[in-house]
Amino acid sequence: MPGKIWFVGAGPGDPDLITVKGRKLLEQAGAILYAGSLVDQAATLYAPQGCEIRDSKDMTLDEMTAWLLDQASRHAVVIRLQTGDPGLYGALIEMTRPLTAAKVEWAVVPGVSSAMASMAAAGETLTLPEVTQTVILTRVAGRTPMPAGEDLESLASHHCTLCIYLSITLLHEVQNALRAAGWQEDAPMLVVQKASWPGLEKIVRGTLADIKQKCQAEKIGSQAMIVASPTLGAADWDDLVRSKLYDPAFTHRFRKASGEIAHD
Ligand code: SAH
């Protein structure tokens, strides 16, 4: 009976940000194939003695599949450890299809994605009542082209929160797309490099006009999240709209309204 292959989200970097389920699986793992330098800490911290630990950075997808299948023939728990959440820019389906074809069981354990970790690091919120209630997780085209209708200019026309992955070297394209979509030069922007990494995290705040120069000055060229959002800086606004959820006049499932007005 072959073992089971788990695609585990390691979170954004801080090994404490893996889920309890992910950590328990690492503690039982016979073999771990980890992706990139950001998640090796979790693997080495939580893996048991004798666990086979391999970096996938020099492997092709076919080689990874072969490695995972081989390990699953010898171990009950085999882990593919990925940064953030495995379902975001993680080549998940390319990897699971051959496992299904080989009749090997697999499952996914979600992880804290770097968009959430970046906003948390900066003390910012992804949504804000009456400002934006929508978050778009996206990227600009690199070697992977963007499907029709998903160019950043179109997405930015919603003026909601945009979390832009894999694009820090294309920051000028991000700026151009936001300008073309009508964002103002003084629109706030945030770039976080190595969010959640103790001692390595860098937070850069700027505007559409100056974010690129600021990132250059900080020498940020990789492992960074770009956020453009009308919510940025809300902690310092003096005209904040109160969230309905905490409004004393708002009844919801867990709390009765103290005022006269009841909502559903
Ligand atoms: N699955 C991952 C994303 C992998 S794509 C997730 O859910 O977060 C790699 C991109 O993620 C990087 O180019 C960068 O934009 C972002 N990223 C990953 N880790 C990060 C971190 N700790 N801080 C900021 N951005 C990060």
Side-chain angles (χ1 to χ4, degrees), residues 12 38 83-85 88-89 113-114 165-166 192 194-195 223-225:
L38 284 177
T83 57
D85 182 81
L88 274 167
Y89 310 113
S113 188
S114 47
Y165 292 69
L166 293 162
V192 183
K194 295 191 175 175
Q223 291 169 333
M225 176 65 48

Side-chain angles (χ1 to χ4, degrees), residues 120-191:
E124 296 283 356
T125 182
L126 289 152
T127 61
L128 198 57
E130 297 183 35
V131 175
T132 184
Q133 295 289 287
T134 304
V135 181
I136 293 177
L137 308 181
T138 189
R139 59 172 299 171
V140 295
R143 267 170 299 176
T144 309
M146 291 303 282
E150 293 187 23
D151 57 286
L152 190 57
E153 180 183 337
S154 311
L155 299 175
S157 69
H158 294 284
H159 291 269
C160 60
T161 298
L162 301 167
C163 298
I164 308 166
Y165 292 69
L166 293 162
S167 304
I168 192 66
T169 57
L170 301 167
L171 194 47
H172 54 285
E173 285 186 27
V174 171
Q175 288 173 304
N176 290 340
L178 294 177
R179 286 187 180 113
W183 291 56
Q184 301 296 310
E185 288 301 311
D186 63 354
M189 287 187 70
L190 172 73
V191 169

Side-chain angles (χ1 to χ4, degrees), residues 16-186:
D16 280 356
L17 285 178
I18 194 168
T19 62
V20 173
K21 181 161 184 155
R23 178 176 171 167
K24 282 183 181 163
L25 284 163
L26 285 177
E27 287 165 355
Q28 299 163 23
I32 301 170
L33 185 62
Y34 70 87
S37 56
L38 284 177
V39 289
D40 54 346
Q41 275 206 11
T44 44
L45 266 177
Y46 306 131
Q49 282 267 311
C51 176
E52 183 110 23
I53 303 178
R54 172 87 151 88
D55 188 350
S56 63
K57 73 168 182 282
D58 60 349
M59 296 165 97
T60 64
L61 271 178
D62 288 345
E63 286 166 348
M64 287 190 237
T65 303
W67 194 91
L68 291 170
L69 286 172
D70 177 47
Q71 296 296 335
S73 69
R74 278 178 277 134
H75 302 287
V77 176
V78 173
I79 294 180
R80 165 66 176 159
L81 190 64
Q82 302 188 247
T83 57
D85 182 81
L88 274 167
Y89 310 113
L92 181 64
I93 300 306
E94 292 97 309
M95 295 190 69
T96 60
R97 282 171 60 115
L99 304 184
T100 303
K103 299 198 164 38
V104 170
E105 246 195 298
W106 58 269
V108 182
V109 179
V112 175
S113 188
S114 47
M116 286 72 206
S118 296
M119 290 299 260
E124 296 283 356
T125 182
L126 289 152
T127 61
L128 198 57
E130 297 183 35
V131 175
T132 184
Q133 295 289 287
T134 304
V135 181
I136 293 177
L137 308 181
T138 189
R139 59 172 299 171
V140 295
R143 267 170 299 176
T144 309
M146 291 303 282
E150 293 187 23
D151 57 286
L152 190 57
E153 180 183 337
S154 311
L155 299 175
S157 69
H158 294 284
H159 291 269
C160 60
T161 298
L162 301 167
C163 298
I164 308 166
Y165 292 69
L166 293 162
S167 304
I168 192 66
T169 57
L170 301 167
L171 194 47
H172 54 285
E173 285 186 27
V174 171
Q175 288 173 304
N176 290 340
L178 294 177
R179 286 187 180 113
W183 291 56
Q184 301 296 310
E185 288 301 311
D186 63 354

